[in-house]
Amino acid sequence: MTQKQEQLSKNQQIVLSIIEKAKGPLKAYSILYNVQKKGIKAPLQVYRALEKLIEIGKIHKIESKNAFIVCKNSDCEISKATAFSICEKCEVVDEVSNVKLSNYLSKFNDKKGMKFKRFNLEFFGLCKRCKIK
Amino acid sequence: MTQKQEQLSKNQQIVLSIIEKAKGPLKAYSILYNVQKKGIKAPLQVYRALEKLIEIGKIHKIESKNAFIVCKNSDCEISKATAFSICEKCEVVDEVSNVKLSNYLSKFNDKKGMKFKRFNLEFFGLCKRCKIK
DNA sequence: CTTAATTTGTTATAATATAACGTTTGTTAT
DNA sequence: ATAACAAACGTTATATTATAACAAATTAAG
């Protein structure tokens, strides 16, 4: 049983645990307010933790919302191939885990000879609940 | 010959023309500096023009860069289905115009019964020139 | 014309993110 | 264990991106 598990630092753990507990994406400053009782005082401390957590695939950034969400794909080996669904009404965000989609996009090649290493896809629409209402 | 062409206001024209002339995506404040000689003085004037131009499909926002680029797809009837390639080294951005890709993603359906109206896809990698270097 | 809608101009401020610096902690190789 | 290095931390200041609020001017439609 190899020690493959990344060892998170204190601030990284604190920030991650807040994001894990959240029901949806959190904004950086909302995270900051939530962790001030735990000794994290400055934006930079949050942003540094976020950067690292993204790097190791524990969380993702929802670019269209400047918000951060925990990765649902078993610590996201595929953090270089992310897709999300975003409800335009209730703002609920879900990670789309679809192997076909992921394969299709990972293999996609540009006309201009560019080879892609990574992609991020954001779908927008109405979620099931909001469609009914 | 129907008057389908949207009539742009003065500020919208000014902002659009700057973005059209640019070789790549422009940031809002860079646009602002560029148009100050033309009488646009405040960020809001730029942001309002940008908002409208996006709405009518003349430009797109590159979310990962907070920058704005002119639409290359004949005034983008498909502005609800956008895809871009972004070079991580030289930062060059291109709009990916691929009918198959666009169809595939437009038809994509979530497991959770969400019907998508719109998507934005950003590919990252090295462009042809940067691969060689 | 006149009413409604859109666009404008302006000031202020909110929200998001990074620079720069020195210190502390953790890891690795001897 | 300790030297050398890398990573993480704390702190202050500041840069960058974006919106609120309000009144005036312009444009479109009946």
Side-chain angles (χ1 to χ4, degrees):
Chain A
M1 192 164 132
T2 44
Q3 179 81 12
K4 171 72 175 158
Q5 169 75 13
E6 296 277 354
Q7 199 56 32
L8 296 180
S9 77
K10 187 181 59 137
N11 287 0
Q12 289 158 13
Q13 281 169 38
I14 293 170
V15 169
L16 178 58
S17 90
I18 294 289
I19 298 176
E20 282 174 338
K21 278 177 208 145
K23 287 168 194 162
L26 289 181
K27 303 234 164 193
Y29 276 73
S30 147
I31 293 168
L32 178 58
Y33 299 137
N34 273 288
V35 298
Q36 279 180 331
K37 49 198 134 188
K38 285 174 187 149
I40 293 182
K41 287 172 188 158
L44 201 43
Q45 297 175 285
V46 172
Y47 280 104
R48 287 198 280 227
L50 290 171
E51 185 182 26
K52 187 62 187 239
L53 292 168
I54 289 170
E55 198 182 307
I56 64 179
K58 292 281 187 186
I59 65 172
H60 303 300
K61 181 171 185 181
I62 308 299
E63 292 286 357
S64 64
K65 298 172 78 74
N66 297 317
F68 303 86
I69 193 168
V70 71
C71 175
K72 298 267 172 57
N73 291 320
S74 59
D75 291 349
C76 224
E77 291 93 356
I78 59 162
S79 89
K80 293 181 174 178
T82 49
F84 303 95
S85 70
I86 302 169
C87 177
E88 285 174 320
K89 193 168 177 194
C90 72
E91 308 236 292
V92 77
V93 174
D94 259 309
E95 191 162 352
V96 176
S97 311
N98 184 298
V99 178
K100 276 192 183 175
L101 174 65
S102 183
N103 280 342
Y104 179 81
L105 292 176
S106 296
K107 285 174 192 157
F108 184 79
N109 271 300
D110 196 15
K111 276 181 287 192
K112 299 190 179 154
M114 189 162 165
K115 175 72 182 164
F116 302 125
K117 288 190 237 167
R118 179 166 74 83
F119 67 81
N120 180 55
L121 172 57
E122 297 181 7
F123 284 108
F124 302 86
L126 290 179
C127 71
K128 220 172 177 177
R129 307 192 74 200
C130 288
K131 261 195 304 194
I132 297 162
K133 281 176 205 164
Chain B
M1 192 163 133
T2 44
Q3 179 79 15
K4 172 73 175 158
Q5 169 76 13
E6 296 277 354
Q7 199 57 32
L8 297 180
S9 77
K10 187 182 58 140
N11 287 0
Q12 289 157 13
Q13 281 170 37
I14 293 169
V15 169
L16 177 59
S17 90
I18 295 289
I19 298 175
E20 282 174 338
K21 278 176 208 146
K23 287 168 194 162
L26 289 181
K27 303 232 163 197
Y29 277 73
S30 146
I31 293 167
L32 178 58
Y33 300 137
N34 273 288
V35 298
Q36 279 180 330
K37 50 197 134 187
K38 284 173 187 150
I40 293 182
K41 288 172 189 158
L44 242 196
Q45 296 175 287
V46 171
Y47 279 104
R48 287 198 281 225
L50 290 172
E51 184 182 29
K52 187 62 186 240
L53 292 168
I54 289 170
E55 198 182 305
I56 64 179
K58 292 282 188 184
I59 65 172
H60 304 299
K61 181 173 186 181
I62 309 298
E63 293 286 355
S64 63
K65 297 171 78 71
N66 297 316
F68 304 86
I69 193 169
V70 71
C71 175
K72 299 265 173 57
N73 290 321
S74 59
D75 291 350
C76 223
E77 291 92 355
I78 60 161
S79 88
K80 294 183 173 176
T82 49
F84 302 95
S85 70
I86 302 169
C87 177
E88 285 174 321
K89 193 167 176 198
C90 72
E91 307 235 292
V92 77
V93 175
D94 258 309
E95 191 161 353
V96 175
S97 312
N98 184 298
V99 178
K100 275 191 184 177
L101 174 65
S102 183
N103 279 343
Y104 180 80
L105 292 176
S106 296
K107 284 175 193 157
F108 184 79
N109 270 301
D110 196 15
K111 277 181 285 194
K112 299 190 180 154
M114 190 162 164
K115 175 71 182 166
F116 302 125
K117 287 190 240 166
R118 180 165 74 83
F119 67 82
N120 180 54
L121 172 57
E122 297 180 8
F123 284 109
F124 302 86
L126 290 179
C127 71
K128 220 172 178 176
R129 307 193 74 199
C130 288
K131 261 194 305 194
I132 296 162
K133 283 177 203 162

